[in-house]
Amino acid sequence: MESKLHILLGTDKGKSFDLEYGKVYTVGRSPDNDIQIKDKNISRYHLKIQCKENKYFITDLNSKNGTFVSGEDISPGIEVEVEEEIPVVIGMNVIGLGEGCKTWLKSFLDCVGICSKTDENGEISKSYGVKVIKKKLGFIYDMNNILMESKDINEISEKMLECIFNLFKGADRCVIILINAETEEISNVIYRSKKSLNDPAKAYNHELVEQALLLNKAVMASDSYDKDEEDDESTGSLQLKNIRSAVCVPMNSPLQKKRGAIYIDSIGRSKGFQKNDIALLRDISGRVALTMDLLSLDERLV
């Protein structure tokens, strides 16, 4: 087992540091640390790390912005074991431990749309602050827990809506459209809306959903009033319903069955969704569809 710390995202992205077994390393912004990461969001002495018994252990040194592991900030001063496939967020950097994380974990971060953006000066974009990275990773951990613990698709959908609303604060409506895999007809519509709705059919833009399902890919309207998007089939219907921005991601299972779609919109906010949001939703939709396949298989075996 090769013991290394890799910086997968952030100001020093691509750097790696060897870790000797048994030795305690300090990580922080100060040059006095064993491993220095130049990020103003990282404390001067942020955490310590040790590799022992083929395992990795980290301890937060009462840092200002905390150390984010497995969906939450760890308690300062308490040693925590971290597995190779678990990303660790400190400041605006995501680090991984062990050689395996260099390929698998990096691909995972890219897949779910957690990748660094830099401005013309090479600085990390403010839109990719500490809170954004933590929120996206927290969303993924929460969804994974829901999929592992829940055995009912309606329950999963309800909890997923809550997670999506917590992630996309600018969203006005979020809808899970469930489709019968055999007939490919809509079997249920589960939604949440900031404004009261009596009819589930009015909770989403039908044209956008139909387009996503027909093309079998994510469809996004960044701004329905943008002239560059006038030719889009669904733009006109979005304008008629005063929907400024919307995104729809189909839920397709590994068995190539249509399981449904995730739809989110913002009534008055343009550019409410970004391309990296699609990557995140696509990853989650695939996990949900796979869970639906497994639940369906379990029902048949009973």
Side-chain angles (χ1 to χ4, degrees):
M1 172 179 169
E2 188 173 3
S3 185
K4 281 192 175 186
L5 179 152
H6 298 278
I7 301 179
L8 306 172
L9 172 70
T11 49
D12 290 327
K13 179 180 177 181
K15 286 187 177 180
S16 61
F17 303 87
D18 292 323
L19 302 175
E20 294 181 17
Y21 287 101
K23 181 178 178 179
V24 177
Y25 292 82
T26 58
V27 180
R29 192 178 73 249
S30 170
D32 297 336
N33 287 281
D34 299 299
I35 298 174
Q36 181 190 19
I37 301 179
K38 298 177 181 179
D39 176 356
K40 62 183 180 181
N41 296 289
I42 291 178
S43 296
R44 287 175 54 80
Y45 302 97
H46 198 103
L47 62 82
K48 64 180 181 180
I49 181 172
Q50 185 179 25
C51 179
K52 53 186 178 181
E53 299 176 355
N54 290 330
K55 297 178 181 179
Y56 295 97
F57 297 88
I58 63 173
T59 305
D60 183 85
L61 300 176
N62 201 28
S63 62
K64 180 180 179 180
N65 287 317
T67 301
F68 191 78
V69 182
S70 297
E72 60 184 6
D73 286 308
I74 63 175
S75 300
I78 298 177
E79 187 177 70
V80 175
E81 181 183 350
V82 179
E83 298 179 2
E84 283 195 16
E85 67 271 19
I86 301 299
V88 178
V89 182
I90 56 172
M92 293 181 71
N93 289 259
V94 177
I95 63 176
L97 302 170
E99 194 60 26
C101 76
K102 190 176 181 181
T103 52
W104 185 89
L105 192 50
K106 182 180 182 302
S107 298
F108 164 75
L109 293 172
D110 291 339
C111 179
V112 298
I114 301 177
C115 49
S116 58
K117 281 187 176 181
T118 56
D119 59 23
E120 58 186 9
N121 297 317
E123 296 291 329
I124 300 294
S125 168
K126 290 183 179 179
S127 64
Y128 274 78
V130 181
K131 291 183 179 179
V132 174
I133 295 173
K134 288 183 177 181
K135 281 181 66 176
K136 286 195 171 187
L137 287 174
F139 172 76
I140 293 168
Y141 284 117
D142 289 342
M143 280 304 307
N144 282 344
N145 288 334
I146 291 169
L147 295 176
M148 286 189 293
E149 296 170 1
S150 301
K151 301 299 180 183
D152 178 77
I153 189 58
N154 290 326
E155 181 184 355
I156 290 173
S157 298
E158 290 284 0
K159 291 181 178 180
M160 180 162 60
L161 288 176
E162 183 178 355
C163 287
I164 292 175
F165 251 113
N166 287 335
L167 180 65
F168 297 98
K169 296 296 186 182
D172 287 291
R173 299 180 298 187
C174 180
V175 186
I176 307 297
I177 298 119
L178 300 178
I179 292 177
N180 184 303
E182 304 304 326
T183 65
E184 295 193 356
E185 294 181 354
I186 294 176
S187 60
N188 198 5
V189 176
I190 303 172
Y191 68 94
R192 285 190 62 181
S193 174
K194 287 184 177 178
K195 292 185 177 181
S196 178
L197 288 172
N198 296 322
D199 186 359
K202 295 181 179 179
Y204 63 97
N205 181 269
H206 290 241
E207 288 76 10
L208 192 75
V209 172
E210 289 171 3
Q211 187 180 4
L213 292 173
L214 179 64
L215 298 176
N216 197 26
K217 68 176 185 179
V219 177
M220 179 177 67
S222 297
D223 186 351
S224 63
Y225 290 93
D226 190 336
K227 293 181 179 180
D228 293 335
E229 296 195 27
E230 283 183 351
D231 294 332
D232 191 280
E233 296 178 18
S234 56
T235 300
S237 64
L238 290 170
Q239 290 179 354
L240 287 173
K241 296 176 181 178
N242 296 317
I243 300 171
R244 196 66 185 267
S245 58
V247 61
C248 182
V249 179
M251 295 191 296
N252 296 321
S253 74
L255 299 178
Q256 301 302 313
K257 290 185 177 183
K258 291 183 179 180
R259 289 294 186 178
I262 300 172
Y263 170 90
I264 318 172
D265 69 20
S266 179
I267 303 299
R269 182 182 179 187
S270 64
K271 303 187 185 305
F273 311 99
Q274 308 296 326
K275 289 183 178 180
N276 49 47
D277 294 329
I278 289 181
L280 179 61
L281 292 171
R282 188 186 293 121
D283 177 81
I284 292 300
S285 68
R287 296 170 193 244
V288 173
L290 175 60
T291 300
M292 293 174 72
D293 277 350
L294 296 174
L295 291 176
S296 177
L297 180 60
D298 288 342
E299 290 176 359
R300 293 177 184 179
L301 294 175
V302 174

